[in-house]
Each structure stands twice: as structure tokens, then as C-alpha cells.
């Protein structure tokens, strides 16, 4: 019920394909650990210190970890490195 309310408020349409894709990414979270996982957990931990977010700490951590492993994001995001002025 809560997710349906938020989808309506944010005017987001989630297809069955989208749901299956996210479930697939979540299922693969525990297969390997990334170097950045500890940074994501720290970020979530800092956010969770706020009384408005602490009840969602596990959901936030899982969602951030899932998106960090999403191949679509890797293929569709341009990262600019100031160290060498190159796009990756």
C-alpha cells in the first residue's frame, strides 16, 4: 500500500518488467562485495542517524547497493574525472 501511494505522489509508473529487473539485481547483491560497499554503508549510516530515516536503514543500504551494481547505470552514465580530464 505504501509503495502505491508513493508511486501516485511521485507520478511514477513501474512495469512488471521494472519490478523483475530490480528483484534480479537485489538477488545478486550477495554474490560479490565491491570496494565501494563500505562507503555506501557509511553514507546510509550517516543518513540513518536522522530520526526520519533510521527505520529505513536496511532498505536504503540494499537499494544503494543494488543501484551500484546496475549495469544500465554503468552503461548510461558519463563520469568526468578531474584527475586526468577524461570521460569514461
Amino acid at each position: 500500500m505504501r509503495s502505491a501511494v508513493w508511486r501516485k505522489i511521485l507520478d511514477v509508473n513501474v512495469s512488471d518488467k521494472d519490478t523483475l529487473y530490480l528483484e534480479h539485481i537485489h538477488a545478486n547483491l550477495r554474490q560479490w562485495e565491491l570496494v565501494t560497499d563500505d562507503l555506501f554503508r557509511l553514507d546510509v549510516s550517516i543518513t540513518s542517524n536522522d530520526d526520519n530515516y533510521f527505520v529505513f536503514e536496511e532498505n536504503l543500504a540494499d537499494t544503494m547497493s543494488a543501484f551500484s551494481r546496475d549495469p544500465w547505470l554503468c552503461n548510461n552514465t558519463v563520469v568526468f574525472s578531474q584527475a586526468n580530464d577524461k570521460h569514461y
Side-chain angles (χ1 to χ4, degrees):
M1 170 94 168
R2 182 180 294 164
S3 63
V5 171
W6 278 109
R7 282 195 301 269
K8 189 71 170 173
I9 290 170
L10 297 172
D11 193 29
V12 174
N13 298 315
V14 179
S15 69
D16 290 340
K17 182 180 176 182
D18 296 330
T19 302
L20 287 173
Y21 183 73
L22 188 57
E23 286 174 359
H24 172 72
I25 291 173
H26 272 279
N28 292 322
L29 279 178
R30 307 297 183 251
Q31 286 186 354
W32 62 85
E33 188 167 338
L34 300 179
V35 173
T36 55
D37 285 349
D38 287 337
L39 294 173
F40 290 131
R41 285 187 205 107
L42 178 62
D43 194 31
V44 169
S45 176
I46 291 169
T47 302
S48 300
N49 283 334
D50 185 322
D51 290 340
N52 294 316
Y53 296 105
F54 80 97
V55 296
F56 302 108
E57 183 172 356
E58 187 175 334
N59 289 347
L60 286 170
D62 286 348
T63 300
M64 286 184 68
S65 295
F67 285 131
S68 73
R69 290 163 168 77
D70 185 351
W72 185 91
L73 287 176
C74 293
N75 294 327
N76 292 284
T77 303
V78 175
V79 178
F80 183 73
S81 171
Q82 292 178 348
N84 58 12
D85 292 335
K86 291 183 181 178
H87 287 276
Y88 294 98

